């Protein structure tokens, strides 16, 4: 979805007061709405990470009891924590993320939102991989557990590097 | 009571985990400022209503719908209302723990090592509402120290119970696995009060030297011997009507140590029993046997030859005296001229008829 389409969608859902505020304060309400939507999106991602962690704790404990745990099992918890907190605490469209010199308009903020939305597929693939291993754990199938744990770790690290790109994308570093 | 226009938890210290603003009178338009590492939980009449995340919140009926919705419907509030706000920190905190635990009974002698442990746990509040209602609300606790005191109990309990499942061999070999298990099990306990355990770090596990020795196979044998020795000594001391002897006599306390001590006693008895070694094949035969059970040779003590010079006794078959070096020439047996009986050398009268042996 392009920035324009997303922006239209946000504006369509605004109430009368927001529309009046937009007129008098040059689109302030829309910018606030986009920031808030982005924040809500990140909250949802964070909730996914929390749920992933709880599932992984169960998997790890079961693996320890079965004597199948490898070093990657603990690493996965650490990586989930780190990336989850990065998502939770990320800048979402204020001067910290954007170029401070120019004024931050709705389009730039919507680009951030769209970038974050695009990462959903990555996150869902992690959730799916963890669910698969969770099901294996419940059936006591540990044959590919170590390989799967390694794969999950690399999926999360992939998500992290894309998340780190986010800031580079929106904050010009040229002097 | 003055109407508060702005509420913020500005002076949070490094150990403050929560702070209660008691009896705030807010109005529509009041500002609640929640910092990036905080939550604000709204209470009224003891009930937790809304949780605000980071940001500047202007009190309107939109952002606290539960609170205003319920109270407005009952006509309790107009534009001004009283409430309590509890700010909860979302930062990481550290809780120290430490104590002593016993390992599971290990080896034949069921050895239990006393293991000392100490470390710290990193945690944070995950569910602010649950934390405030379950923990903060009743205790009036507000610092991480209070939380630490509370959680230390179940951390120690978990660790003690976890160590109690692993024998000393496992603890010595896989200390990290044991500690990981403890950390994961504590997570569930902590989640009950809205806390999330980020990590549980064991800074040290004190395994006594004797336990380390025990964990090596050779050490285990040595300790078992020592244990048996001590037990046998105690039993010996209790002979003649002591408490232990009485207990054993009555068949009470017939446990592993006693059985082992009994075995030891039997072994000692066997050792004390004298044997006769066969001069021919070297087999051990009980005292009193006349012939070797192995080769049939006579077990009679060997004949000895008296040295004619110094009188020292030498084994039969020796040619020279071991004492003075004189030749040990054996004289022939003397035959009695009267009855014909053979008499040992050196005899003056016949042992059969009494006739003088010339």
């Amino acid at each position: 979805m392009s920035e324009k389409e997303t922006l239209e969608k946000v504006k369509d859902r605004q109430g009368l007061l927001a529309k009046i505020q937009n007129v008098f304060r040059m689109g302030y309400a829309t910018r606030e709405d986009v920031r808030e939507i982005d924040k809500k999106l990140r909250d949802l991602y964070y909730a996914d990470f929390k749920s992933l962690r709880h599932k992984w704790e169960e998997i790890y404990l079961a693996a320890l009891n079965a004597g199948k745990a490898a070093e990657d099992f603990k690493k996965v918890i650490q990586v989930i924590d780190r990336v989850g907190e990065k998502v939770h605490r990320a800048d979402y469209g204020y001067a910290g993320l954007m170029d401070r010199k120019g004024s931050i308009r709705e389009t730039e903020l919507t680009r951030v939102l769209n970038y974050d939305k695009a990462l959903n597929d990555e996150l869902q693939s992690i959730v799916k991989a963890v669910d698969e291993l969770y099901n294996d754990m419940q059936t006591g199938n540990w044959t590919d557990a170590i390989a799967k744990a390694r794969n999950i770790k690399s999926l999360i690290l992939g998500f992290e590097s894309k998340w780190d790109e986010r800031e580079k994308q929106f904050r010009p570093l040229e002097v | 009571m003055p109407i508060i226009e702005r509420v913020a938890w500005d002076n949070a210290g490094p150990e403050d985990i929560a702070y209660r603003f008691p009896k705030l009178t807010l109005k529509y338009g009041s500002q609640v400022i929640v910092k990036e590492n905080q939550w604000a939980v709204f209470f009224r009449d003891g009930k937790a209503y809304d949780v605000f995340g980071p940001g500047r919140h202007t009190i309107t009926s939109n952002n606290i719908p539960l609170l205003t919705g319920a109270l407005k419907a009952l006509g309790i509030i107009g534009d001004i209302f009283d409430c309590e706000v509890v700010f909860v920190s979302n930062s990481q905190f550290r809780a120290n723990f430490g104590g002593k635990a016993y390992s599971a009974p290990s080896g034949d002698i069921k050895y239990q090592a006393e293991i000392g442990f100490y470390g710290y746990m990193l945690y944070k509040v995950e569910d602010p509402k649950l934390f405030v209602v379950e923990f903060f609300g009743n205790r009036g606790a507000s610092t991480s120290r209070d939380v630490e005191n509370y959680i230390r109990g179940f951390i120690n309990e978990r660790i003690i119970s976890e160590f109690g499942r692993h024998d000393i061999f496992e603890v010595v070999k896989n200390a990290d696995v044991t500690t990981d298990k403890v950390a994961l099990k504590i997570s569930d306990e902590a989640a009950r009060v809205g806390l999330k355990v980020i990590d549980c770090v064991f800074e040290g596990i004190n395994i006594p030297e004797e336990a380390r020795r025990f964990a090596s196979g050779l050490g285990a044998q040595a300790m078992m011997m020592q244990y048996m020795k001590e037990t046998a000594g105690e039993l010996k001391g209790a002979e003649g009507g002591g408490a232990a002897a009485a207990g054993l006599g009555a068949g009470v306390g017939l446990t592993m140590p006693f059985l082992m001590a009994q075995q030891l006693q039997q072994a000692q008895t066997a050792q004390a029993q004298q044997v006769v070694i066969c001069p021919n094949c070297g087999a051990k035969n009980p005292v009193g046997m006349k012939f070797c059970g192995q080769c049939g040779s006579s077990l009679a003590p060997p004949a000895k030859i008296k040295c004619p010079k110094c009188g020292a006794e030498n084994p039969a078959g020796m040619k020279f005296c071991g004492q003075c070096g004189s030749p040990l020439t054996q004289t022939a047996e003397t035959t009695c001229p009267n009855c014909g009986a053979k008499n040992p050398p050196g005899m003056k009268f016949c042992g059969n008829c009494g006739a003088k042996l010339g």
Side-chain angles (χ1 to χ4, degrees):
Chain A
M1 197 182 281
S2 70
E3 280 87 49
K4 201 177 171 189
E5 282 173 313
T6 311
L7 210 52
E8 287 302 319
K9 217 172 175 181
V10 172
K11 281 180 181 170
D12 281 349
R13 292 183 184 181
Q14 283 178 337
L16 185 63
L17 276 173
K19 281 177 179 161
I20 294 167
Q21 203 176 20
N22 276 338
V23 173
F24 287 102
R25 299 179 72 181
M26 299 169 69
Y28 179 80
T30 308
R31 290 197 291 276
E32 277 299 291
D33 282 353
V34 174
R35 285 184 184 117
E36 284 310 310
I37 291 167
D38 191 32
K39 188 176 184 311
K40 286 281 171 220
L41 183 67
R42 288 185 306 106
D43 284 346
L44 288 173
Y45 287 177
Y46 181 60
D48 277 344
F49 274 105
K50 276 205 289 192
S51 147
L52 278 177
R53 191 191 206 271
H54 289 307
K55 269 191 181 164
W56 195 261
E57 281 173 2
E58 279 186 54
I59 293 171
Y60 186 20
L61 189 58
L64 280 172
N65 286 333
K68 305 286 181 188
E71 201 184 324
D72 282 325
F73 278 76
K74 189 163 191 180
K75 285 271 176 222
V76 169
I77 285 194
Q78 291 166 346
V79 176
I80 288 175
D81 276 349
R82 187 179 69 226
V83 181
E85 287 305 321
K86 271 188 182 180
V87 171
H88 193 210
R89 306 276 182 221
D91 292 328
Y92 53 106
Y94 288 97
L97 181 66
M98 314 300 282
D99 179 12
R100 265 186 274 172
K101 286 180 181 173
S103 67
I104 302 158
R105 307 301 304 175
E106 297 93 303
T107 325
E108 282 107 52
L109 291 171
T110 314
R111 265 201 304 133
V112 178
L113 174 64
N114 281 353
Y115 186 90
D116 291 352
K117 267 168 74 180
L119 288 174
N120 186 43
D121 292 343
E122 310 270 333
L123 184 56
Q124 290 318 309
S125 64
I126 300 168
V127 172
K128 199 178 158 195
V130 172
D131 281 347
E132 201 180 310
L133 189 52
Y134 189 79
N135 291 337
D136 284 353
M137 179 266 291
Q138 283 181 323
T139 54
N141 175 19
W142 295 105
T143 40
D144 300 328
I146 294 172
K148 281 179 180 172
R150 202 170 297 137
N151 177 46
I152 288 164
K153 192 180 83 177
S154 63
L155 283 174
I156 303 170
L157 289 174
F159 180 90
E160 185 187 24
S161 64
K162 285 199 176 169
W163 192 263
D164 291 342
E165 278 292 311
R166 178 181 185 263
E167 199 166 325
K168 287 177 198 161
Q169 288 255 341
F170 301 109
R171 184 188 282 176
L173 296 171
E174 298 89 45
V175 182
Chain B
M1 189 161 285
I3 296 165
I4 308 294
E5 299 271 353
R6 178 185 174 277
V7 187
W9 187 23
D10 291 323
N11 51 353
E15 283 194 351
D16 294 334
I17 196 163
Y19 181 77
R20 186 197 302 267
F21 281 96
K23 291 200 174 177
L24 284 177
T25 306
L26 298 175
K27 63 169 186 174
Y28 288 126
S30 293
Q31 306 274 305
V32 178
I33 296 163
V34 185
K35 293 182 181 173
E36 195 64 54
N37 70 326
Q38 295 173 355
W39 284 291
V41 187
F42 274 73
F43 277 84
R44 186 179 165 103
D45 300 331
K47 283 187 178 175
Y49 282 94
D50 293 299
V51 179
F52 287 3
R56 177 189 288 269
H57 303 273
T58 307
I59 302 297
T60 66
S61 57
N62 286 334
N63 58 18
I64 42 172
L66 276 174
L67 181 62
T68 51
L71 300 177
K72 257 187 165 178
L74 296 168
I76 294 171
I77 57 165
D79 285 345
I80 293 170
F81 57 91
D82 294 324
C83 63
E84 278 187 347
V85 181
V86 178
F87 279 87
V88 180
S89 174
N90 186 24
S91 300
Q92 282 187 24
F93 291 96
R94 179 184 157 131
N96 296 320
F97 61 81
K100 281 183 179 175
Y102 282 94
S103 66
S106 324
D108 290 335
I109 61 167
K110 305 290 173 204
Y111 172 71
Q112 282 187 287
E114 192 184 57
I115 301 164
F117 60 88
Y118 60 95
Y120 62 89
M121 186 180 89
L122 292 174
Y123 67 94
K124 65 194 290 187
V125 177
E126 188 176 47
D127 188 333
K129 199 165 167 182
L130 187 61
F131 175 73
V132 171
V133 174
E134 290 289 327
F135 181 77
F136 184 83
N138 295 331
R139 289 176 180 79
S142 59
T143 65
S144 57
R145 192 66 55 133
D146 301 318
V147 179
E148 185 180 332
N149 289 338
Y150 172 72
I151 59 180
R152 189 188 291 128
F154 65 72
I155 294 175
N156 284 351
E157 186 208 338
R158 278 283 153 220
I159 294 171
I160 290 165
S161 98
E162 197 55 40
F163 275 136
R165 286 166 192 233
H166 300 272
D167 62 23
I168 193 66
F169 304 102
E170 245 181 288
V171 174
V172 170
K173 280 182 201 159
N174 303 319
D176 54 340
V177 171
T178 314
T179 56
D180 279 353
K181 276 188 188 175
V182 169
L184 290 167
K185 286 186 175 171
I186 290 167
S187 294
D188 287 339
E189 301 279 341
R192 287 193 311 194
V193 288
L195 296 173
K196 168 186 169 184
V197 175
I198 296 160
D199 207 352
C200 187
V201 180
F202 280 76
E203 289 180 300
I205 298 177
N206 294 332
I207 300 170
E209 187 52 39
E210 62 163 21
R212 282 188 192 284
R213 266 190 280 128
F214 182 79
S216 70
L218 209 63
Q221 278 181 349
M223 280 182 77
M224 187 163 171
M225 289 303 291
Q226 176 69 22
Y227 183 76
M228 285 164 72
K229 228 174 175 179
E230 282 170 13
T231 314
E234 277 171 28
L235 286 169
K236 205 176 171 186
E239 265 177 16
L248 292 171
V252 181
L254 199 68
T255 52
M256 186 71 186
F258 171 66
L259 287 173
M260 284 194 303
Q262 222 176 22
Q263 283 171 354
L264 183 73
Q265 272 184 331
Q266 283 168 359
Q268 282 174 338
T269 313
Q271 263 188 343
Q273 201 175 22
Q274 286 182 341
V275 289
V276 180
I277 295 167
C278 172
N280 184 39
C281 67
K284 289 174 183 174
N285 293 280
V287 171
M289 302 293 278
K290 289 183 177 169
F291 298 94
C292 173
Q294 187 73 20
C295 66
S297 308
S298 171
L299 296 174
K304 288 185 176 172
I305 305 165
K306 210 173 184 179
C307 174
K309 193 177 179 188
C310 67
E313 284 191 336
N314 291 280
M318 301 292 277
K319 288 180 178 170
F320 296 93
C321 174
Q323 190 71 23
C324 63
S326 308
L328 298 170
T329 45
Q330 282 186 337
T331 44
E333 288 175 334
T334 317
T335 309
C336 175
N338 186 33
C339 64
K342 287 182 178 175
N343 290 279
M347 300 294 278
K348 287 179 180 173
F349 295 93
C350 175
N352 193 39
C353 65
K356 194 175 179 181
L357 299 171

